Amino acid sequence: MTKAIRVHAPGGPEAMLWEDVPTPEPGPGEALVQHAAVGLNYIDVYFRTGLYKTSLPATLGMEAAGTVVSVGAGVTNVVPGDRVAYATAPIGAYSTARTIAADRLVRLPDGIDFKTAAAMMLQGMTAQYLLRRTYRVKQGDTVLVHAAAGGVGLIMCQWAKHLGATVIGVVSTEAKAAMARANGAAHVIIGHETLAADVKRITGGAMLAVVYDSVGKDTFMASLDCLAPLGLLVLYGNASGPVPPFDIGLLAAKGSLYLTRPTLATYTAKRADLEASARDLFEVVQSGAVKIQVNQTFPLAEAAAAHRALEARQTTGSTVLLP
Ligand code: NDP
């Protein structure tokens, strides 16, 4: 038997139940992984509430690190005993062990422990594609990062600075502002009520080539107003709720803007892209350019408490659930 956090109907944190489930056998192309640490991500909330659809009952979670126990037919990239991590669909990571397609696993370098790996794969590979592919950040760019003291946010601040960019972070409290500054944000804006005016002041009127917005509904319009002509809004999350349908003519009116709604799944769908992204991430973490900050841990059995903290904006950096 394994233990898992399962949801039988969409709902609040109380919908998450700690249950016994039979330990699955790895089928062809699959590996059974014993989890040592599980990553908490905002997407887990979207699946729990039903914003993102899944069949039920469902085990939440898209990210974990652990040890390969056994492999099914045809698996060649990992063997039992390998230390591995993943950040991928299908959900099922909130469990003591699970089966998963072996070609979604990445072997961990010796210097990266399980807790760090579980904290960084999803948020770190997200930062990687956002900064290196969706928009290729370069020396001299000024970029805006919403939720700058969050899991993805703290990694983005450090990595963008490492790439030579000036980072403007947006957060909700003074304590988070201090954290964003300590992680590379040159400017921090608290709240988004006067966002475009603040960005105008900071940039001397030039505005921005790119805005990274994971907050969604509450910040979408303000984010568009922070862009220079031909600027790119990267809307990659909905922490405040999904953006309602909008008139695309606004993109013309506000300066021939670009808008993209990317997901990690697309950017890591090909094995080669997954490997390249993980390699890039391991490199900046091992060099010390990006420090993964696990600022909260919870027993996996108490994942509901972790969700409450995340939704109440009480967490900073990354959060790990321990089986
Ligand atoms: P965070 O640690 O960033 O937590 C969410 C943060 O969002 C909060 O701490 C809070 O920061 C901010 N926020 C603003 N408004 C709200 C609100 N109404 N309710 C709750 N939080 C709010 O989470 P993650 O690092 O796990 O994820 C960050 C975002 O990135 C999420 O939206 C997630 O869905 C998205 N994401 C997207 C991916 C993709 O490929 N598209 C992949 C990974 C993550 P503050 O208090 O400072 O405002």
Side-chain angles (χ1 to χ4, degrees):
M1 280 294 198
T2 57
K3 285 276 195 181
I5 291 281
R6 298 211 301 173
V7 169
H8 292 260
E14 69 288 347
M16 300 159 67
L17 304 177
W18 184 235
E19 297 182 333
D20 288 321
V21 288
T23 305
E25 283 289 322
E30 290 183 339
L32 175 65
V33 179
Q34 184 76 37
H35 290 157
V38 175
L40 176 76
N41 292 288
Y42 220 93
I43 195 168
D44 307 341
V45 172
Y46 308 145
F47 275 107
R48 192 205 72 220
T49 60
L51 177 66
Y52 292 179
K53 306 293 174 217
T54 183
S55 56
L56 297 166
T59 300
L60 300 177
M62 298 189 68
E63 176 184 42
T67 307
V68 174
V69 177
S70 56
V71 297
V75 172
T76 53
N77 66 315
V78 290
V79 295
D82 278 352
R83 300 170 67 253
V84 294
Y86 63 83
T88 187
I91 59 173
Y94 284 17
S95 54
T96 50
R98 76 174 294 189
T99 51
I100 188 156
D103 72 356
R104 297 284 90 197
L105 295 173
V106 176
R107 280 213 303 272
L108 288 175
D110 287 343
I112 294 183
D113 62 50
F114 287 135
K115 200 168 91 174
T116 305
M120 79 185 207
M121 295 303 290
L122 199 149
Q123 295 169 347
M125 291 198 295
T126 297
Q128 193 276 343
Y129 85 73
L130 292 173
L131 298 171
R132 307 295 286 150
R133 295 180 66 196
T134 306
Y135 176 93
R136 199 166 170 84
V137 171
K138 53 194 183 308
Q139 182 81 33
D141 282 340
T142 301
V143 308
L144 188 140
V145 176
H146 281 280
V152 177
L154 281 188
I155 299 173
M156 294 275 284
C157 288
Q158 297 173 78
W159 203 333
K161 182 180 182 196
H162 175 62
L163 294 169
T166 300
V167 178
I168 303 174
V170 183
V171 296
S172 64
T173 66
E174 287 287 354
K176 289 184 179 185
M179 203 169 288
R181 266 187 219 104
N183 284 275
H187 308 274
V188 182
I189 297 168
I190 300 178
H192 49 80
E193 289 69 23
T194 56
L195 192 67
D198 293 337
V199 168
K200 190 169 184 183
R201 175 179 44 79
I202 291 167
T203 61
M207 308 311 278
L208 303 168
V210 64
V211 169
Y212 294 105
D213 187 342
S214 63
V215 173
K217 179 170 64 72
D218 289 357
T219 50
F220 177 73
M221 283 299 169
S223 291
L224 284 178
D225 288 334
C226 292
L227 292 168
L230 306 185
L232 170 65
L233 175 56
V234 183
L235 195 290
Y236 70 99
N238 345 272
S240 67
V243 177
F246 89 112
D247 172 9
I248 59 171
L250 279 176
L251 297 178
K254 291 179 186 289
S256 302
L257 304 179
Y258 294 84
L259 168 66
T260 183
R261 176 56 177 91
T263 87
L264 177 64
T266 315
Y267 282 88
T268 54
K270 293 187 188 134
R271 175 75 200 175
D273 287 336
L274 171 64
E275 285 178 2
S277 185
R279 204 179 316 119
D280 218 4
L281 174 62
F282 292 150
E283 199 179 295
V284 290
V285 170
Q286 289 185 302
S287 75
V290 171
K291 293 184 177 56
I292 302 301
Q293 289 154 67
V294 182
N295 292 348
Q296 303 77 213
T297 58
F298 292 82
L300 177 57
E302 293 166 26
H307 275 222
R308 284 191 186 95
L310 184 63
E311 289 178 275
R313 303 160 83 156
Q314 286 164 358
T315 65
T316 58
S318 303
T319 303
V320 167
L321 307 171
L322 298 170

